[in-house]
Amino acid sequence: MPQVVDTTQKRITLNVGGQKHETYLSTIRNYPDTRLYWVVENVTKAIDYHSEKIELFFDRHPKIFDQVLNYYRTGKLHCPNDVCGPLFEEELAYWGIDEKEMEPCCWTTYTQHREAEHNLKSFNVTDFSTDIDSDRQEETETTSKAKGLHPFWVKYQPRIWAILEEPRSSRTAKAFWILSVLLIVLSVATACAITLPQFATEGGSVSSESSAYVAFTVIEYICGVWFTIELGLRLLFCPNKRTFFKSYSFWVDVLSVIPFYVRLIFPHEHDLADALQVIRLLRLFRFFRLLYGLQVIMHTLKASSYELFLLLLILLIPVVLFSSIIYYVEKNIDGKTTKFRSIPESFWWSLITMTTVGYGDMTPRTWEGKIIGGACAIFGVLMVALPISVIGSNFSLYYAHAQARLKLPKKKTKIHFDTLATAMPRQVCHLMHKDRRY
């Protein structure tokens, strides 16, 4: 039903990006601590409202202003689904509207981009079209010269560090990382192959007289020397020693080299060297730096830590519950020995049943126990499936952001003339004030 126009109320026309909106002045006055209220109040006081038709023009996003004006009318702020979150945040800041006024139904859509950017802050993306970004290199050289460092260090330290740390910074860095990854795979494959029955003796070690022992020893020495040199170069050319010592990659490199030197210093301590062989597998974590997909998975799990904790908690309660029930149901079997001898021993059966693994080493024998087992399996499927959808949604969002960073072309630095016009008078005033002091 059309609304009857109230001619006694003053109206104003707002032209936002070429799209005209007409509303009452009383609507704008609902929220005085906003830009639109301030502009409208100053304009209406400066001119005669009755003699002139007021039309204000704002060079802003017209579609977003629909939601802004709707907020003035209804007091409810909604975020359009087809508008980027950072763009809507920028428009809210321009109009002086607090984002906390957002309705709960739109808050997730509004903040998901911000959360993704925050969680992917440490995501390593490097432009490998050139060896090193020229602006960053000039800044590093200027700072190093100011500190009185050697010209060789000033020139080559950033380049060597980029080769060691940023696989996509240059072709040389990419070749270096490919060689390093091949040696990691070779080292891990050797650690696994050395346990095969055709190579190992009854004691579990390779005979020193076999050709396999010689081959494995040569591979171990090559990998050990390579990773030692690589660790030394990282330690030498890192720009910040304190930050480097705190990084997990440094300790992974140190721990992965320890078994090589233990075997080298104590050649007869085979038990100790074999026990430390597992540490060599830590080198596999270096794949996270090379493959962006693994980095996205790591950030997804980190962002979904609450959901994972919730999953463990959801599993813990039914495990205790079903373990207790199955124990009391199965403990009194006539003429048969039961495997459910206590509630803690029943935890294993309950956990394996709820995760739908079902090894079959512990099975109920009574019909009551089988009913409890079926209910445990069905309940486990429902509980495990719930957090998986949240983790998958986070992975899709973060993977899309990561791919956008990779495929986004490098932007050129642009000077905003409005910013330049306001910054130049400030600089001139600063220089004039400085001249007066001297």
Side-chain angles (χ1 to χ4, degrees):
M1 184 176 179
Q3 183 179 1
V4 179
V5 178
D6 187 2
T7 57
T8 61
Q9 294 193 41
K10 298 179 180 180
R11 290 179 292 170
I12 188 172
T13 301
L14 303 173
N15 189 337
V16 181
Q19 183 176 345
K20 293 184 179 182
H21 305 265
E22 190 171 357
T23 186
Y24 295 114
L25 286 177
S26 59
T27 302
I28 305 299
R29 290 170 180 154
N30 287 332
Y31 297 94
D33 296 330
T34 57
R35 178 188 292 267
L36 189 57
Y37 171 85
W38 181 82
V39 172
V40 170
E41 283 296 310
N42 282 275
V43 170
T44 53
K45 290 179 181 178
I47 64 176
D48 185 6
Y49 177 82
H50 297 283
S51 61
E52 297 184 25
K53 181 181 180 182
I54 303 178
E55 179 175 337
L56 301 179
F57 177 77
F58 297 90
D59 192 13
R60 305 301 296 184
H61 199 290
K63 189 172 183 180
I64 294 180
F65 186 74
D66 291 340
Q67 302 300 328
V68 172
L69 187 57
N70 184 68
Y71 171 70
Y72 282 92
R73 290 167 175 166
T74 64
K76 295 182 179 180
L77 183 62
H78 294 274
C79 177
N81 292 327
D82 56 345
V83 175
C84 183
L87 176 60
F88 195 73
E89 181 181 2
E90 182 181 352
E91 290 295 316
L92 290 182
Y94 174 81
W95 294 110
I97 299 176
D98 190 1
E99 63 178 11
K100 296 179 181 178
E101 299 294 328
M102 188 80 60
E103 292 298 307
C105 59
C106 298
W107 182 254
T108 302
T109 305
Y110 174 69
T111 59
Q112 64 178 355
H113 298 278
R114 184 191 306 171
E115 293 174 356
E117 290 294 332
H118 174 74
N119 293 323
L120 291 175
K121 243 195 272 188
S122 58
F123 185 72
N124 298 318
V125 178
T126 308
D127 183 14
F128 53 90
S129 58
T130 57
D131 283 1
I132 296 179
D133 187 69
S134 58
D135 296 336
R136 186 179 63 180
Q137 184 179 2
E138 291 178 1
E139 181 181 353
T140 304
E141 291 180 1
T142 304
T143 306
S144 302
K145 288 179 180 178
K147 294 180 179 180
L149 299 177
H150 194 274
F152 174 83
W153 179 265
V154 173
K155 182 177 181 180
Y156 290 103
Q157 185 272 334
R159 298 183 180 182
I160 296 177
W161 178 248
I163 292 174
L164 296 173
E165 280 295 308
E166 300 174 354
R168 289 171 171 79
S169 61
S170 64
R171 293 181 180 178
T172 305
K174 199 171 185 179
F176 173 83
W177 274 85
I178 290 175
L179 179 59
S180 181
V181 166
L182 291 177
L183 290 177
I184 291 174
V185 173
L186 184 61
S187 175
V188 173
T190 303
C192 297
I194 203 172
T195 60
L196 291 174
Q198 52 266 36
F199 298 137
T201 59
E202 295 181 358
S205 59
V206 181
S207 176
S208 58
E209 299 178 356
S210 63
S211 57
Y213 176 82
V214 177
F216 291 153
T217 303
V218 171
I219 293 175
E220 185 177 359
Y221 271 84
I222 293 175
C223 295
V225 171
W226 170 268
F227 293 126
T228 302
I229 294 175
E230 185 178 348
L231 178 61
L233 291 175
R234 291 177 185 274
L235 187 60
L236 179 62
F237 289 98
C238 68
N240 191 330
K241 299 293 190 296
R242 181 178 298 179
T243 305
F244 182 64
F245 286 145
K246 293 180 180 179
S247 63
Y248 78 93
S249 59
F250 168 73
W251 293 106
V252 167
D253 292 340
V254 171
L255 293 175
S256 62
V257 172
I258 288 178
F260 169 71
Y261 287 100
V262 169
R263 190 179 293 274
L264 191 65
I265 298 173
F266 306 101
H268 301 292
E269 296 291 337
H270 296 289
D271 295 337
L272 179 60
D274 292 339
L276 294 176
Q277 288 295 328
V278 182
I279 301 179
R280 295 168 60 180
L281 301 179
L282 293 175
R283 294 169 183 165
L284 292 173
F285 285 98
R286 298 186 64 182
F287 281 100
F288 282 89
R289 185 175 294 275
L290 185 63
L291 301 177
Y292 288 152
L294 295 179
Q295 293 185 31
V296 174
I297 293 177
M298 182 178 66
H299 288 295
T300 301
L301 295 177
K302 184 179 179 181
S304 306
S305 57
Y306 176 76
E307 286 77 12
L308 293 174
F309 173 76
L310 186 63
L311 173 61
L312 294 177
L313 185 62
I314 291 175
L315 284 176
L316 178 62
I317 297 175
V319 162
V320 177
L321 179 63
F322 284 107
S323 299
S324 303
I325 296 175
I326 199 68
Y327 165 71
Y328 289 109
V329 170
E330 291 286 323
K331 72 173 184 176
N332 298 321
I333 302 179
D334 297 334
K336 297 181 182 180
T337 58
T338 179
K339 293 184 179 181
F340 300 91
R341 292 184 291 269
S342 65
I343 293 179
E345 290 184 10
S346 303
F347 286 167
W348 170 253
W349 169 85
S350 183
L351 181 62
I352 295 303
T353 304
M354 292 191 65
T355 54
T356 68
V357 177
Y359 286 122
D361 53 341
M362 297 177 66
T363 55
R365 296 187 178 183
T366 63
W367 65 269
E368 296 93 342
K370 293 178 181 180
I371 293 177
I372 298 300
C376 181
I378 295 174
F379 190 81
V381 171
L382 296 177
M383 290 299 101
V384 173
L386 291 178
I388 299 300
S389 59
V390 178
I391 297 174
S393 177
N394 288 339
F395 177 79
S396 300
L397 177 62
Y398 297 157
Y399 187 77
H401 276 262
Q403 289 296 315
R405 287 192 184 184
L406 291 174
K407 297 179 181 179
L408 188 67
K410 189 176 181 180
K411 296 180 181 180
K412 296 181 180 180
T413 304
K414 296 182 179 180
I415 300 176
H416 200 284
F417 288 100
D418 293 340
T419 306
L420 184 62
T422 55
M424 286 181 65
R426 295 177 183 175
Q427 188 68 18
V428 172
C429 293
H430 175 72
L431 293 176
M432 291 176 62
H433 179 70
K434 190 174 182 181
D435 291 338
R436 290 176 182 175
R437 291 174 57 187
Y438 291 100

